[in-house]
Coordinates of all heavy atoms in Angstrom, one line a residue:
V1462 N -58.0 59.1 -9.8 CA -58.3 58.0 -8.8 C -59.8 57.7 -8.9 O -60.7 58.6 -8.7 CB -57.9 58.4 -7.4 CG1 -58.3 57.3 -6.5 CG2 -56.4 58.7 -7.3
M1463 N -60.1 56.5 -9.2 CA -61.5 56.0 -9.5 C -61.8 54.8 -8.7 O -61.1 53.7 -8.9 CB -61.7 55.8 -11.0 CG -63.1 55.4 -11.4 SD -63.2 55.3 -13.2 CE -61.9 54.2 -13.6
P1464 N -63.0 54.9 -8.0 CA -63.4 53.6 -7.2 C -63.8 52.5 -8.2 O -64.5 52.8 -9.3 CB -64.6 54.1 -6.4 CG -64.5 55.5 -6.3 CD -63.8 56.0 -7.6
E1465 N -63.5 51.3 -7.9 CA -63.9 50.2 -8.7 C -65.5 50.1 -8.9 O -66.0 49.7 -9.9 CB -63.4 48.9 -8.2 CG -63.8 47.6 -9.0 CD -63.4 46.4 -8.3 OE1 -63.8 46.1 -7.2 OE2 -62.7 45.5 -9.0
A1466 N -66.2 50.5 -7.7 CA -67.6 50.5 -7.7 C -68.2 51.4 -8.8 O -69.3 51.1 -9.3 CB -68.1 50.9 -6.3
D1467 N -67.5 52.5 -9.2 CA -68.1 53.3 -10.2 C -68.1 52.6 -11.6 O -68.9 52.9 -12.4 CB -67.2 54.6 -10.4 CG -67.6 55.6 -9.3 OD1 -68.3 55.3 -8.4 OD2 -67.1 56.8 -9.4
V1468 N -67.1 51.7 -11.8 CA -67.0 51.0 -13.1 C -67.8 49.7 -13.0 O -68.6 49.4 -13.9 CB -65.5 50.6 -13.3 CG1 -65.4 49.9 -14.6 CG2 -64.7 51.9 -13.4
L1469 N -67.7 49.0 -11.9 CA -68.4 47.6 -11.8 C -69.6 47.6 -11.0 O -70.3 46.7 -10.9 CB -67.4 46.7 -11.2 CG -66.1 46.5 -11.9 CD1 -65.2 45.4 -11.2 CD2 -66.3 46.1 -13.4
G1470 N -69.9 48.8 -10.4 CA -71.2 48.9 -9.5 C -72.3 48.4 -10.2 O -73.1 47.6 -9.7
G1471 N -72.6 49.0 -11.4 CA -73.8 48.6 -12.2 C -73.7 47.1 -12.6 O -74.7 46.5 -12.6
I1472 N -72.5 46.7 -13.0 CA -72.4 45.3 -13.4 C -72.6 44.4 -12.2 O -73.4 43.4 -12.3 CB -71.0 45.1 -14.0 CG1 -70.8 45.9 -15.2 CG2 -70.8 43.6 -14.3 CD1 -69.4 45.9 -15.8
I1473 N -72.1 44.7 -11.0 CA -72.2 43.9 -9.8 C -73.7 43.9 -9.4 O -74.2 42.9 -9.1 CB -71.3 44.4 -8.7 CG1 -69.8 44.2 -9.1 CG2 -71.6 43.7 -7.4 CD1 -68.9 44.7 -8.1
A1474 N -74.3 45.1 -9.5 CA -75.7 45.2 -9.1 C -76.6 44.3 -10.1 O -77.5 43.6 -9.6 CB -76.2 46.6 -9.1
G1475 N -76.2 44.5 -11.3 CA -77.0 43.7 -12.4 C -76.6 42.2 -12.1 O -77.6 41.4 -12.2
R1476 N -75.4 41.8 -11.8 CA -75.1 40.4 -11.5 C -75.9 39.9 -10.3 O -76.4 38.9 -10.3 CB -73.6 40.3 -11.3 CG -73.1 38.9 -10.9 CD -71.8 38.9 -10.1 NE -71.9 39.6 -8.9 CZ -71.0 39.8 -8.1 NH1 -69.7 39.5 -8.5 NH2 -71.1 40.5 -6.9
N1477 N -75.9 40.8 -9.2 CA -76.6 40.3 -8.0 C -78.1 40.2 -8.3 O -78.7 39.3 -7.8 CB -76.4 41.4 -6.9 CG -74.9 41.4 -6.4 OD1 -74.2 40.4 -6.7 ND2 -74.5 42.5 -5.8
L1478 N -78.6 41.2 -9.1 CA -80.0 41.1 -9.5 C -80.3 39.8 -10.3 O -81.2 39.1 -10.0 CB -80.4 42.3 -10.2 CG -81.9 42.4 -10.8 CD1 -82.8 42.3 -9.6 CD2 -82.1 43.6 -11.7
A1479 N -79.4 39.5 -11.2 CA -79.6 38.3 -12.0 C -79.5 37.1 -11.1 O -80.3 36.1 -11.3 CB -78.5 38.2 -13.1
I1480 N -78.5 37.1 -10.2 CA -78.4 35.9 -9.4 C -79.6 35.8 -8.4 O -80.2 34.6 -8.2 CB -77.1 36.1 -8.4 CG1 -75.9 35.9 -9.2 CG2 -77.1 35.0 -7.3 CD1 -74.5 36.2 -8.5
G1481 N -80.1 37.0 -7.9 CA -81.3 36.9 -7.1 C -82.5 36.4 -7.8 O -83.2 35.6 -7.3
V1482 N -82.7 37.0 -9.0 CA -83.8 36.5 -9.9 C -83.7 35.0 -10.2 O -84.6 34.2 -10.1 CB -83.9 37.4 -11.1 CG1 -85.0 36.7 -12.2 CG2 -84.2 38.8 -10.8
T1483 N -82.4 34.6 -10.6 CA -82.2 33.1 -10.9 C -82.5 32.3 -9.7 O -83.2 31.3 -9.8 CB -80.8 33.0 -11.3 OG1 -80.5 33.8 -12.5 CG2 -80.5 31.5 -11.7
A1484 N -82.0 32.7 -8.5 CA -82.3 31.9 -7.3 C -83.7 31.9 -6.9 O -84.2 30.8 -6.6 CB -81.5 32.6 -6.1
A1485 N -84.4 33.0 -7.1 CA -85.8 33.1 -6.9 C -86.6 32.1 -7.8 O -87.5 31.3 -7.4 CB -86.4 34.5 -7.0
V1486 N -86.2 32.2 -9.1 CA -86.9 31.3 -10.1 C -86.6 29.8 -9.8 O -87.4 29.0 -9.9 CB -86.4 31.7 -11.5 CG1 -86.9 30.7 -12.5 CG2 -86.9 33.1 -11.9
F1487 N -85.3 29.6 -9.4 CA -84.9 28.3 -9.0 C -85.7 27.7 -7.9 O -86.3 26.5 -8.0 CB -83.4 28.3 -8.7 CG -82.9 26.9 -8.2 CD1 -82.7 25.9 -9.2 CD2 -82.6 26.6 -7.0 CE1 -82.2 24.6 -8.8 CE2 -82.2 25.4 -6.5 CZ -81.9 24.4 -7.4
F1488 N -85.8 28.5 -6.8 CA -86.5 27.9 -5.6 C -88.1 27.9 -6.0 O -88.8 27.0 -5.5 CB -86.3 28.8 -4.4 CG -84.9 28.6 -3.9 CD1 -84.0 29.6 -4.0 CD2 -84.6 27.4 -3.3 CE1 -82.7 29.4 -3.5 CE2 -83.2 27.3 -2.8 CZ -82.4 28.2 -2.8
A1489 N -88.5 28.9 -6.8 CA -90.0 28.8 -7.2 C -90.2 27.5 -8.0 O -91.2 26.9 -7.8 CB -90.3 30.0 -7.9
A1490 N -89.2 27.2 -8.9 CA -89.4 26.1 -9.7 C -89.3 24.8 -8.9 O -90.1 23.8 -9.1 CB -88.3 26.0 -10.7
I1491 N -88.4 24.8 -7.9 CA -88.4 23.6 -6.9 C -89.7 23.5 -6.2 O -90.3 22.4 -6.0 CB -87.3 23.8 -5.9 CG1 -85.9 23.7 -6.6 CG2 -87.4 22.8 -4.8 CD1 -84.7 23.8 -5.7
A1492 N -90.2 24.6 -5.7 CA -91.6 24.6 -5.0 C -92.7 24.1 -5.9 O -93.4 23.2 -5.5 CB -91.9 26.0 -4.4
V1493 N -92.7 24.6 -7.1 CA -93.7 24.2 -8.0 C -93.5 22.8 -8.4 O -94.5 21.9 -8.5 CB -93.7 25.1 -9.3 CG1 -94.7 24.5 -10.4 CG2 -94.1 26.5 -9.0
S1494 N -92.2 22.3 -8.6 CA -92.0 20.9 -8.9 C -92.4 20.0 -7.8 O -93.0 18.9 -8.0 CB -90.5 20.7 -9.2 OG -90.1 21.5 -10.3
L1495 N -92.1 20.4 -6.5 CA -92.5 19.7 -5.3 C -94.0 19.4 -5.3 O -94.6 18.4 -5.0 CB -92.0 20.2 -4.1 CG -90.5 20.2 -3.9 CD1 -90.1 20.8 -2.6 CD2 -90.0 18.7 -3.9
V1496 N -94.7 20.6 -5.6 CA -96.2 20.5 -5.6 C -96.7 19.6 -6.7 O -97.6 18.7 -6.5 CB -96.8 21.9 -5.7 CG1 -98.3 21.9 -5.9 CG2 -96.5 22.8 -4.5
L1497 N -96.2 19.7 -7.9 CA -96.6 18.9 -9.0 C -96.2 17.4 -8.7 O -97.0 16.6 -9.0 CB -95.9 19.4 -10.3 CG -96.4 20.7 -10.8 CD1 -95.5 21.1 -12.1 CD2 -97.8 20.6 -11.2
I1498 N -95.0 17.2 -8.2 CA -94.6 15.8 -7.9 C -95.5 15.3 -6.8 O -96.0 14.0 -7.0 CB -93.2 15.8 -7.4 CG1 -92.2 16.1 -8.6 CG2 -92.8 14.4 -6.8 CD1 -90.8 16.2 -8.1
N1499 N -95.9 16.1 -5.8 CA -96.7 15.6 -4.8 C -98.2 15.3 -5.4 O -98.8 14.2 -5.1 CB -97.0 16.7 -3.7 CG -97.8 16.2 -2.6 OD1 -97.5 15.1 -1.9 ND2 -98.8 16.9 -2.2
V1500 N -98.6 16.2 -6.3 CA -100.0 15.9 -7.0 C -99.9 14.7 -7.8 O -100.8 13.9 -7.8 CB -100.4 17.2 -7.8 CG1 -101.5 16.9 -8.6 CG2 -100.6 18.4 -6.9
L1501 N -98.7 14.5 -8.5 CA -98.6 13.4 -9.4 C -98.4 12.1 -8.7 O -98.9 11.0 -9.0 CB -97.5 13.6 -10.4 CG -97.8 14.7 -11.4 CD1 -96.6 15.0 -12.3 CD2 -99.1 14.6 -12.3
L1502 N -97.5 12.2 -7.6 CA -97.1 10.9 -7.0 C -98.1 10.5 -5.8 O -98.1 9.4 -5.4 CB -95.7 11.1 -6.3 CG -94.6 11.3 -7.3 CD1 -93.2 11.4 -6.5 CD2 -94.6 10.2 -8.3
M1503 N -99.0 11.5 -5.4 CA -99.9 11.0 -4.4 C -100.7 9.8 -4.8 O -100.9 8.9 -3.9 CB -100.8 12.3 -4.0 CG -101.6 12.0 -2.7 SD -102.6 13.4 -2.4 CE -101.4 14.7 -2.1
P1504 N -101.3 9.9 -6.0 CA -102.1 8.6 -6.4 C -101.1 7.4 -6.4 O -101.7 6.4 -6.1 CB -102.6 9.0 -7.8 CG -102.6 10.5 -7.8 CD -101.4 10.9 -7.0
L1505 N -99.9 7.6 -6.8 CA -99.0 6.5 -6.9 C -98.7 6.0 -5.6 O -98.6 4.8 -5.3 CB -97.7 6.9 -7.7 CG -97.9 7.2 -9.2 CD1 -96.5 7.6 -9.7 CD2 -98.4 6.0 -9.9
T1506 N -98.5 6.9 -4.6 CA -98.2 6.5 -3.2 C -99.4 5.7 -2.7 O -99.3 4.7 -2.0 CB -98.0 7.8 -2.4 OG1 -96.8 8.4 -2.9 CG2 -97.6 7.3 -0.9
D1507 N -100.7 6.2 -3.1 CA -101.8 5.6 -2.5 C -102.0 4.2 -3.1 O -102.3 3.3 -2.4 CB -103.0 6.4 -2.9 CG -104.3 5.8 -2.4 OD1 -104.6 5.8 -1.3 OD2 -105.1 5.4 -3.3

């Protein structure tokens, strides 16, 4: 009798880590994009 977590625990942890890193990179990219867009569009708005 073997728990699924023993087999998939590392995979799930890796998956969760990958999702977390991807989400962090995604939101960081959005933040950087918003800053860049603001910097680039501010003169256009003006």
